[in-house]
């Protein structure tokens, strides 16, 4: 068997075993790959010896554990640069150190070392940031592992949340998303059977997750990206009412210049004003989720609408002023 053909066939065998998610008999493999049993046994041996993929082999068949399967991705130098930027952004946003992250980034660094050694070195340095974890990070990783397994394989879970840690909440995982805000939380979206509706939970506040034997399917009309397009962070509102328009005015200066340099939201509209400032408009499902972002601009940002957000910001600024003895 020519080397390239052999490698392709071994890769196909590994993928087949991974997707099977069960023990597969030699006869099944012989039928699938149109070869005899002796060839199947040679392929299984090469899979372990040459590709380094461990297999569980018994009389009942062969099983490839999901955690032992390795994906192959082909990249050019520009692709490595794109991944480095994504990795650095992830390291900034994600404050939980997990072994899975360290392992994945180390593997990425090794795979890209030959074509982009300078970039690979920085990926490896980033991987080192995730090497050690405390007990809270280990607990977070265990929960994330079960959520990921349930999501990929379609198994319902029982979730125990911080607000009621003794309550088993049946839950179907639809999506997992890190918060784009400074809260540094990761959220799981899905169907909450207790409340009979689509809900979002912070993974950091999940105390325990237990996988059940019940199966589920994600509805074909569930689109997390259209929902998130309504949100400033991850709160898209109730999904029934129309998004609210938030209108902000930035006075001339560095804040107005900075706001115009970035794409903060898919619906944003930024209009320069004659005085050198700008007006910022955005449609969001829950306007109050914007408060931390609005506050960071201080007096350079004025809320024009909606009135409830304007009033809330004004009250918070007054309270802050009192803390510094400013009562006028």
């Amino acid at each position: 068997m020519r080397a390239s053909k052999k490698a392709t066939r071994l890769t196909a065998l590994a993928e087949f075993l991974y997707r099977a998610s069960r023990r597969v008999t030699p006869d099944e493999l012989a039928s699938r790959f149109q070869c005899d049993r002796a060839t199947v046994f040679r392929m299984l041996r090469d899979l372990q010896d040459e590709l380094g993929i461990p297999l569980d082999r018994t009389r009942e068949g062969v099983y490839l554990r999901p955690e032992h399967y390795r994906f192959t991705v082909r990249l050019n130098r520009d692709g490595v640069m794109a991944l480095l930027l994504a990795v650095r952004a992830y390291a900034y946003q994600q404050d939980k150190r997990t072994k899975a992250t360290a392992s994945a980034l180390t593997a990425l660094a090794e795979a890209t070392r030959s074509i982009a050694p300078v970039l690979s070195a920085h990926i490896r340095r980033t991987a080192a940031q995730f090497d050690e974890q405390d007990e809270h990070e280990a607990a977070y990783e265990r929960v994330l592992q079960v959520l990921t397994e349930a999501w990929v394989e379609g198994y319902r879970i029982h979730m125990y949340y911080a607000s009621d840690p003794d309550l088993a909440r049946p839950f179907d995982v639809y999506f997992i998303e890190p918060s784009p805000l400074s809260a540094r939380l990761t959220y799981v979206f899905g169907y909450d059977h207790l409340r009979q509706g689509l809900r979002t939970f912070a993974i950091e506040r999940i105390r325990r997750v237990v996988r059940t034997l019940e199966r589920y399917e994600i509805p074909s009309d569930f689109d997390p990206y259209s929902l998130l397009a309504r949100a400033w962070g991850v709160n898209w509102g109730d999904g029934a009412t129309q998004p609210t328009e938030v209108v902000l005015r930035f006075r001339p200066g560095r804040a107005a210049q900075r706001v115009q340099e970035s794409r903060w939201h898919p619906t944003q509209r930024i209009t320069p004003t004659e005085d050198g400032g700008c007006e910022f408009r955005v449609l969001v499902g829950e306007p109050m989720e914007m408060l931390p972002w609005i506050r960071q601009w201080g007096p350079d940002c004025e809320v024009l609408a909606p009135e409830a957000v304007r009033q809330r910001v004004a009250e918070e600024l007054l309270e802050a002023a009192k803390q510094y003895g400013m009562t006028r």
Side-chain angles (χ1 to χ4, degrees):
M1 188 184 298
R2 291 168 52 188
S4 59
K5 183 178 179 181
K6 178 180 179 181
T8 300
R9 202 171 193 189
L10 290 179
T11 300
L13 172 60
E15 183 175 346
F16 179 78
L17 291 173
Y18 169 75
R19 292 185 180 278
S21 298
R22 59 176 175 81
R23 292 197 178 276
V24 181
T25 66
D27 289 337
E28 286 182 85
L29 293 174
S31 174
R32 171 66 177 79
F33 291 94
Q34 299 181 343
C35 62
D36 55 36
R37 287 169 57 94
T39 301
V40 166
F41 290 128
R42 283 198 302 272
M43 292 170 63
L44 292 173
R45 182 195 62 207
D46 292 340
L47 198 62
Q48 292 182 288
D49 295 345
E50 298 184 19
L51 297 189
I53 299 177
L55 300 172
D56 288 349
R57 299 176 65 176
T58 65
R59 291 181 179 180
E60 289 74 28
V62 59
Y63 175 60
L64 172 56
R65 296 182 180 277
E67 62 269 24
H68 292 158
Y69 181 66
R70 298 292 183 267
F71 298 92
T72 300
V73 179
R74 301 180 69 87
L75 296 168
N76 60 17
R77 187 173 58 187
D78 291 338
V80 177
M81 184 64 214
L83 284 178
L84 173 59
L85 293 176
V87 164
R88 293 304 304 156
Y90 176 83
Y92 174 78
Q93 186 276 338
Q94 183 61 265
D95 65 328
K96 266 74 66 180
R97 296 166 296 181
T98 67
K99 294 179 180 178
T101 301
S103 176
L105 295 184
T106 299
L108 177 61
E110 182 61 28
T112 57
R113 182 164 54 91
S114 61
I115 62 171
V118 173
L119 306 182
S120 171
H122 288 288
I123 295 175
R124 188 177 295 278
R125 286 285 300 276
T126 305
Q129 297 178 222
F130 294 88
D131 246 347
E132 298 180 3
Q133 60 181 200
D134 59 29
E135 60 183 68
H136 299 292
E137 292 164 333
Y140 166 84
E141 184 168 27
R142 287 194 296 270
V143 169
L144 181 60
Q145 286 173 341
V146 179
L147 291 175
T148 301
E149 181 181 88
W151 185 20
V152 172
E153 299 183 15
Y155 282 96
R156 183 164 299 142
I157 61 169
H158 283 164
M159 175 172 43
Y160 297 81
Y161 203 62
S163 57
D164 195 346
D166 296 323
L167 175 66
R169 184 185 297 269
F171 190 78
D172 301 340
V173 180
Y174 286 3
F175 191 66
I176 294 175
E177 173 84 352
S179 171
L181 307 178
S182 58
R184 297 195 173 189
L185 296 174
T186 305
Y187 292 87
V188 57
F189 302 172
Y191 189 82
D192 180 0
H193 289 266
L194 197 64
R195 300 174 67 180
Q196 297 187 350
L198 187 63
R199 294 292 184 270
T200 303
F201 295 92
I203 294 178
E204 288 81 353
R205 296 169 189 155
I206 299 175
R207 296 295 174 255
R208 188 161 60 97
V209 178
V210 178
R211 172 173 158 168
T212 74
L213 297 179
E214 298 177 82
R215 305 300 296 264
Y216 73 94
E217 291 186 4
I218 299 175
S220 58
D221 61 350
F222 173 73
D223 183 1
Y225 302 100
S226 64
L227 291 174
L228 288 169
R230 302 165 57 101
W232 182 257
V234 296
N235 191 340
W236 60 80
D238 59 14
T241 58
Q242 291 297 314
T244 300
E245 184 177 50
V246 177
V247 185
L248 310 175
R249 179 165 55 208
F250 289 85
R251 67 186 187 185
R254 298 175 66 179
Q257 179 182 347
R258 176 67 191 92
V259 166
Q260 296 178 77
E261 290 173 343
S262 296
R263 186 171 185 264
W264 305 95
H265 193 269
T267 67
Q268 74 181 41
R269 288 181 294 151
I270 303 178
T271 305
T273 54
E274 293 183 357
D275 61 0
C278 68
E279 185 178 270
F280 181 92
R281 293 175 178 266
V282 67
L283 294 170
V284 293
E286 175 45 71
M288 293 300 178
E289 197 173 29
M290 291 186 66
L291 287 174
W293 188 79
I294 293 172
R295 285 195 297 261
Q296 73 174 310
W297 303 107
D300 291 321
C301 175
E302 178 187 359
V303 179
L304 301 182
E307 182 58 33
V309 177
R310 179 181 173 89
Q311 184 67 25
R312 176 73 172 271
V313 172
E315 291 172 355
E316 291 183 352
L317 290 175
L318 286 173
E319 285 297 316
K322 290 178 182 178
Q323 291 183 356
Y324 292 95
M326 306 292 292
T327 56
R328 291 184 299 170

